[in-house]
Amino acid sequence: MQKKPALSLLIILLTVSLHAQVQDSRKIIVFDNDWKFFKGDMTGAEASGFNDATWRSLNVPHDWSIEGPYDRNNTTGRGGGYLPGGIGWYRKTFSLSPADANNNIYIEFDGVMANSDVWINGFHLGKRPNGYVSFQYELTGHLNFGDGQKNIIAVRADNSVQPASRWYTGAGIYRHVRLISANPVHVAHWGSFVSCTNVTGRNAIVQVQTVVDNASPSEQKITLQVNIIAPGGKQVASVQSEKKIAANSHETIVQKIKIEEPALWDIETPQLYKAITKIIINKKQADELTTSFGIRDARFEAATGFWLNGKNIKIKGVCLHHDGGAVGAAVPLRVWEKRLQSLKDAGVNGIRTSHNEAAPEFLDLCDKMGFLVMDETFDTWNARKSNAENGYNLYFTDWWEKDTRDIVLRDRNHPSIVIYSIGNEIHDNLNDSSGFRKYKMQQDLVHSLDTTRPVTMALFRPALSHVYENGLANKMDVVGQNYRENELIAAHESNPQRKVIGTENRHELAAWLALRDKPFMAGQFLWTGYDYLGESDWPGVAHGSGLFDKTGAERIIGYQQQSWWSDKPMVYVMRKEGNAGAGDWISDWSPTDIDTYDEARIQVFSNCDEVELFLNGKSAGAKTRPEDNASPRTWTITFQKGTLKAVARNKGKVVAEQELKTAGKPSKIILTADKPGVENNWNDVVYVTATVTDDEGNPVLSADSKITFGITGPGFIAAVDNSDLASVEPFSSKERWAYKGRCIAIIKANGDAGSIHITANAENLKEGSASIEVKNEKNYQ
C-alpha cells in the first residue's frame, strides 16, 4: 500500500523531468507596448478586476515628469529642474500560450523611477526604492495560460517624497521591459560571466563562469556548451562540460577556452565577441543565452597610470547624467548614439556614469563605440545632501548590498567598464571606523562578484576628511578625487604606491596640464559632457557645464577641450562680445552695435602647429604653438565688416579652416536634418535644427523669433528644445523660441515607409523645410 504513492511520485517526477528536457529555449518578449497609465494615486489599481478603461494608453519607456509643467513650486526643486514629482500607475494586460505553462516566467525592468511596487494578478511581487537599478521578478505560479485567459501586471512608481535628487531623475517606467519564458533548467539571471586573462596579440584565455538554475523537482544531468563567435561571425572555439544538478538548486560551472590571435577590444577598434551558452539535456536544447564580451587587458599602475592592451593611455573622460534633454529620462538609443559620437569626435574616450546605474543599452553603445567607463553606483550612503534630503540616503542601509550586487552582476561583461566607483562626494564620516567599514563592505562585495576590475570612489575634500592620513585612501584600489588636482598629485607623491585618477574635473587648463604632465595620473572625468536637466536655481532649470548643450551643439568649452584632446586637426575662432574685451566669448563676426564696436579681442583654439588670422583677405599675422602647447592664441584687431578667417597648418600644409561672416538682418529659416532617414521604432530619432539666417545663409545669433514647426507624412514631433538653460517652454510642443538663432525638433516615425516633410515658420521670416525618409529596417532592440 505504501509503494503506490512512491510509484505515483516517481511517474510524476519522470514526467516533469522529461518535460524539462523537451522545452524550447528561452523566449525574450519585448514588453514595452500597450500599457495603461494614470498620473496620480489610485486605490485598488493593483487588483486584476480594476477597470482601467479610462486610463491613458501608451508605450514605455515613458517619463511622465518631462511632460511638465515647469513650476517654481514643484517639490522636486532645483534638483529636479522644477518639473513635477508624484505617483504614477501603469497596468498591462497580456495573454500566455499553454505552451509556456510549464516554463519559468520572469519580468525584467531596466529601471522604474522610483520606489516601485509591482503586482501580477493582484499578487505583490516586490518593492524597489532605487529607480536606476535593473531588477527581475518571477511570475511563475501566479499566471493564467490559454485562450481567453488574461494576466495583469501593475506597477506603482512613487517619487512624491521630495527633494530626492540633486539632478533630474524623471518618473515612471522610463526604461525597457521584457518578459522571459525559460525552461525550468536555465542560465540564472545575470548568471553568465565572461572574463579574459593572459591577453596578448597571440592568444588569450577566456573564462566563462555560468550559474545554472534547476527549478525542476528532479535532478538534471546537463551538458553545458559554450561556443565563442569572433567579431566577423565565425565560430572560433567551443567547450562543453557535463554536470548533475540537484532538484531546486543551482550550480556554478567554470570553463576555460584558449583563443588564438584574438581580435582585441580597444578604444580605436572595439571588437566584440559572443559567447553562446547552451544547456542540453538528453541531446535536446533546454536553454540558450548570448553574452557579448571583449578580449582586452586593462590595468592601472601606480607610476604610469592606465594601460590598455600594453599601451599607456590617458583616460580623457566626461561625466554624464542619464537624461537626454528634451526627451527626459526615457532616452531613445539614437540620442545616446548621437551624443557619444559627438563626444568621441571631440577627443573624449571615457565616460563616468554619474552618479548611478546607466541603462544597459547605454553600456552596449560604449562597448561598440570604444569608450572607457567608470561604472558608478551611488551619490549618497547614509549622510544626506542638500537639495536631495529624501534621496538614497533613506534606503542605503537596507538596500546597498542588493543594489550593488545587481549592478555588478548585470554590468561585469561589458569590456568598456574598466573601473567601478562606489560613491560620489560621500558626506558620511570617513575619519572613523564606520566610514572605513562602509567603504570596505562595498569594495569587498564588488571584488567577490568581479575580480577583474578595481574599485574607487570620488573623494570629497579629502583634506577635511583626512583620508590621505587616516589610511582609508590606502584601502582603495585606485584613489579617486573630485577637483583639486594638486591635492591628488600630492597624495600620490607622498605615497608613490597609490594609483590615482581624477573622478570629476573642471574644463580648465590647470586640470588638463595635471593629467597631461603627470605620468601617474590615469585620467580625468570632466563635469560634464552634456548640459543636463536640474541642479539649477530658478529661473534656471538646467545646468550648463557641458562640452555640448542639451540640443547637441558644441559649446566654446567643448572646442577648447577638443584642441587639447583630439588628434584630428581643428581650429575654432571667437571674439569678445563687447568692445575692447568686454562680455563673453562668442563665435560670430556680427557685433550687436557695429557703430561702437571697434577693438576686437580674438581667441583661437587649435591643436595645429600654426594658425594665421585673416580679415577680409588680409593677414593679421600667424602664431605658432604657445609655450605650454595648450593655451589659446590671441589677437587684437580693429573690427571691419566682412569675413574673419582662421587658417591652421601642420608642417606648412593647411589642415583646418574656419570663417565667420558679418550677418545681415534675419531673413529666413534653414532646416537641417542630422541624418536622411529614420526607422519606425522607439529607439530611432532625427534631430532637425532650425537656424535663423540672413539672405546669404549666415547665422544670425541675435535672432529670437518664435519658430513653429509643421509635419506631414508618417512621422511626428517627439519634442522641441533650444539651448536656453532658463527656458520653461513645454518640450511636447510644435513651437519653440529661437535662442542664439536656433532651436531643434526631434522627429520620430509612426509608419513603415514614406517621406516625412518638416517645415519651420516664424513671423517675417521665409519658411524652411526638410524631408526625411522612413526606412523599414531592423530595430535597434
Side-chain angles (χ1 to χ4, degrees), residues 556 559 571-577 585-591 597 600-605 612-617 637 639-647 657-664 694 697-701:
I556 284 176
Y559 287 104
V571 65
Y572 186 76
V573 60
M574 69 215 84
R575 66 176 177 88
K576 277 291 189 174
E577 193 170 11
W585 292 107
I586 185 171
S587 186
D588 84 339
W589 198 237
S590 306
Y597 192 84
R601 302 284 176 88
I602 308 298
Q603 179 172 266
V604 175
F605 297 140
E612 188 170 6
L613 193 69
F614 294 87
L615 179 57
N616 295 327
I637 63 175
F639 174 79
Q640 297 176 10
K641 290 183 181 179
T643 302
L644 183 70
K645 183 177 182 179
V647 178
E657 296 180 340
Q658 186 194 11
E659 281 189 352
L660 301 177
K661 294 186 177 182
T662 306
D694 64 8
N698 298 309
V700 183
L701 271 62

Side-chain angles (χ1 to χ4, degrees), residues 615-644:
L615 179 57
N616 295 327
K618 183 178 179 180
S619 176
K623 298 197 175 184
T624 58
R625 294 178 184 269
E627 185 175 347
D628 63 9
N629 202 23
S631 295
R633 284 162 254 207
T634 61
W635 287 259
T636 299
I637 63 175
T638 301
F639 174 79
Q640 297 176 10
K641 290 183 181 179
T643 302
L644 183 70

Side-chain angles (χ1 to χ4, degrees), residues 1 26 71-72 153 195 211 227-228 312 366 403 425 546 615 640 655 676 739:
M1 294 293 295
R26 70 176 60 203
D71 189 327
R72 187 176 187 176
I153 193 86
S195 58
V211 179
N227 300 323
I228 304 298
N312 196 197
C366 290
D403 288 343
E425 295 185 352
L615 179 57
Q640 297 176 10
V655 291
Y739 181 75

Side-chain angles (χ1 to χ4, degrees), residues 47-60:
S48 296
F50 181 85
N51 186 356
D52 58 18
T54 61
W55 288 18
R56 176 180 167 190
S57 297
L58 51 73
N59 299 332
V60 301

Side-chain angles (χ1 to χ4, degrees), residues 27-242:
K27 291 186 292 186
I28 302 175
I29 303 165
V30 176
F31 223 51
D32 290 344
N33 295 339
D34 303 320
W35 288 78
K36 290 283 193 173
F37 171 71
F38 178 80
K39 183 179 176 181
D41 208 359
M42 183 66 70
T43 301
E46 73 278 8
S48 296
F50 181 85
N51 186 356
D52 58 18
T54 61
W55 288 18
R56 176 180 167 190
S57 297
L58 51 73
N59 299 332
V60 301
H62 170 239
D63 173 11
W64 61 260
S65 182
I66 199 66
E67 298 169 3
Y70 282 104
D71 189 327
R72 187 176 187 176
N73 295 317
N74 277 333
T75 57
T76 58
R78 76 185 298 274
Y82 305 97
L83 285 161
I87 296 171
W89 276 90
Y90 296 82
R91 286 168 55 91
K92 179 178 171 66
T93 302
F94 64 100
S95 299
L96 290 170
S97 167
D100 292 310
N102 292 302
N103 277 3
N104 285 45
I105 312 296
Y106 304 89
I107 190 166
E108 292 182 352
F109 293 91
D110 287 341
V112 181
M113 190 63 67
N115 296 296
S116 63
D117 286 277
V118 182
W119 293 263
I120 180 65
N121 295 330
F123 177 81
H124 186 241
L125 295 167
K127 185 179 185 69
R128 202 68 187 243
N130 192 316
Y132 298 106
V133 176
S134 301
F135 57 93
Q136 179 193 81
Y137 292 124
E138 184 169 4
L139 311 184
T140 311
H142 306 290
L143 295 166
N144 303 309
F145 298 88
D147 295 339
Q149 298 296 310
K150 301 296 183 182
N151 298 281
I152 305 291
I153 193 86
V155 179
R156 182 181 186 268
D158 181 2
N159 72 344
S160 60
V161 180
Q162 295 286 344
S165 176
R166 298 186 300 116
W167 60 90
Y168 178 78
T169 64
I173 305 177
Y174 72 106
R175 290 179 180 167
H176 293 290
V177 186
R178 287 170 298 280
L179 194 72
I180 311 295
S181 176
N183 187 288
V185 183
H186 57 270
V187 178
H189 188 221
W190 300 324
S192 175
F193 177 31
V194 184
S195 58
C196 303
T197 58
N198 302 324
V199 176
T200 69
R202 293 184 177 182
N203 52 62
I205 302 299
V206 174
Q207 176 176 291
V208 183
Q209 176 183 298
T210 308
V211 179
V212 180
D213 280 345
N214 176 15
S216 76
S218 62
E219 180 183 84
Q220 297 291 331
K221 181 179 180 181
I222 72 161
T223 298
L224 185 70
Q225 182 184 92
V226 177
N227 300 323
I228 304 298
I229 310 300
K234 180 182 178 182
Q235 181 174 311
V236 293
S238 182
V239 64
Q240 65 181 38
S241 305
E242 293 187 351

Side-chain angles (χ1 to χ4, degrees), residues 518-700:
K518 299 295 183 180
F520 52 81
M521 289 287 284
Q524 62 184 205
F525 294 88
L526 303 177
W527 191 260
T528 54
Y530 266 76
D531 290 354
Y532 58 94
L533 303 177
E535 201 164 7
S536 184
D537 291 316
W538 189 271
V541 293
H543 197 280
S545 58
L547 302 180
F548 294 82
D549 69 33
K550 54 194 173 78
T551 72
E554 191 162 2
R555 301 173 73 232
I556 284 176
I557 55 175
Y559 287 104
Q560 173 182 259
Q561 211 69 38
Q562 187 177 344
S563 73
W564 297 335
W565 283 7
S566 178
D567 295 328
K568 182 180 179 180
M570 60 82 63
V571 65
Y572 186 76
V573 60
M574 69 215 84
R575 66 176 177 88
K576 277 291 189 174
E577 193 170 11
N579 188 52
D584 296 327
W585 292 107
I586 185 171
S587 186
D588 84 339
W589 198 237
S590 306
T592 303
D593 189 348
I594 289 180
D595 294 333
T596 62
Y597 192 84
D598 177 55
E599 183 181 305
R601 302 284 176 88
I602 308 298
Q603 179 172 266
V604 175
F605 297 140
S606 181
N607 54 8
C608 299
D609 296 340
E610 179 186 82
V611 176
E612 188 170 6
L613 193 69
F614 294 87
L615 179 57
N616 295 327
K618 183 178 179 180
S619 176
K623 298 197 175 184
T624 58
R625 294 178 184 269
E627 185 175 347
D628 63 9
N629 202 23
S631 295
R633 284 162 254 207
T634 61
W635 287 259
T636 299
I637 63 175
T638 301
F639 174 79
Q640 297 176 10
K641 290 183 181 179
T643 302
L644 183 70
K645 183 177 182 179
V647 178
R649 303 183 182 93
N650 281 335
K651 298 180 179 179
K653 182 181 178 181
V654 175
V655 291
E657 296 180 340
Q658 186 194 11
E659 281 189 352
L660 301 177
K661 294 186 177 182
T662 306
K665 294 181 179 180
S667 170
K668 60 184 179 181
I669 300 170
I670 294 178
L671 281 189
T672 53
D674 75 324
K675 64 173 188 163
V678 63
E679 296 177 22
N680 182 19
N681 72 78
W682 187 89
N683 273 309
D684 202 11
V685 301
V686 174
Y687 281 70
V688 174
T689 301
T691 305
V692 180
T693 75
D694 64 8
D695 285 332
E696 303 301 318
N698 298 309
V700 183

